[in-house]
Amino acid sequence: MSEVRCKVCSHPDRPEVDRLLAQGATNTGTARQFGVSSDSVRRHRDRHLSSALKAVATRRETAGAVKASDRAEELYVKAQGILEAAETAGQGQLALAAIKELRATVELLAKLSGELDERPQVNIVNVQSSPEWLAIQSRMLEALAPFPDARVAVAGALEELPEVES
């Protein structure tokens, strides 16, 4: 039985294919350029691209990865420069537009850093210790004073209510 060889490994332009893949070229684009299928390029990348070239590609991807907060800070610096130039030139409308962008960028940075949390807040109140409940409880027991058995039953039921943690 003959051994099935990688079409990219046996391609005359393999070094160029490997270089492009290490630079982050797409499987489809590389396949089109060298007349092979994108599946062949993908398999070659996964199975045969040298570890040194994979490391180069990984470093390139990592170096190119910029966090959203970094990009937002760059936008802030640019908007600040536009604001300063507009103020110097006496361009009020441009200055106001720059201020608007700065405000939006500051808001975005605050969200990204966690300083601004817009999630809904839920406050749990211990109803049993609230002044309103204590007043209601007192009024109920006063109203039941003429009915001692009922008063004792209601007071017992109120004492059996589970304690709610706040």
Side-chain angles (χ1 to χ4, degrees):
M1 177 162 38
S2 66
E3 182 180 326
V4 177
R5 287 200 30 116
C6 172
K7 290 181 182 175
V8 176
C9 285
S10 60
H11 196 281
D13 294 319
R14 177 188 176 178
E16 180 64 12
V17 172
D18 287 351
R19 185 185 66 72
L20 290 173
L21 291 175
Q23 289 178 343
T26 65
N27 295 339
T28 306
T30 305
R32 216 178 287 127
Q33 184 176 347
F34 293 97
V36 293
S37 73
S38 60
D39 286 338
S40 293
V41 174
R42 179 189 47 78
R43 281 191 301 271
H44 176 74
R45 178 188 297 235
D46 293 346
R47 298 176 189 166
H48 305 132
L49 196 62
S50 75
S51 57
L53 286 175
K54 285 181 183 177
V56 167
T58 302
R59 273 196 310 275
R60 181 169 281 121
E61 288 171 10
T62 304
V66 180
K67 292 191 291 185
S69 59
D70 294 338
R71 290 192 304 263
E73 287 175 7
E74 288 173 12
L75 290 174
Y76 179 86
V77 169
K78 288 180 181 179
Q80 183 67 37
I82 291 169
L83 173 61
E84 290 170 4
E87 287 176 337
T88 302
Q91 296 176 317
Q93 281 189 318
L94 181 58
L96 285 174
I99 289 169
K100 182 178 177 183
E101 290 303 316
L102 283 168
R103 181 197 49 78
T105 306
V106 168
E107 183 179 339
L108 174 62
L109 285 167
K111 287 178 185 176
L112 291 172
S113 69
E115 290 178 70
L116 181 60
D117 186 1
E118 293 183 315
R119 293 179 294 183
Q121 301 296 316
V122 177
N123 295 324
I124 300 174
V125 178
N126 185 349
V127 176
Q128 290 177 327
S129 63
S130 73
E132 294 86 359
W133 169 248
L134 295 174
I136 291 170
Q137 184 179 5
S138 175
R139 297 282 293 201
M140 282 185 349
L141 294 176
E142 287 173 15
L144 291 169
F147 312 98
D149 290 340
R151 184 171 198 246
V152 169
V154 170
L158 291 174
E159 284 180 2
E160 291 175 12
L161 287 174
E163 199 56 40
V164 178
E165 297 286 326
S166 60

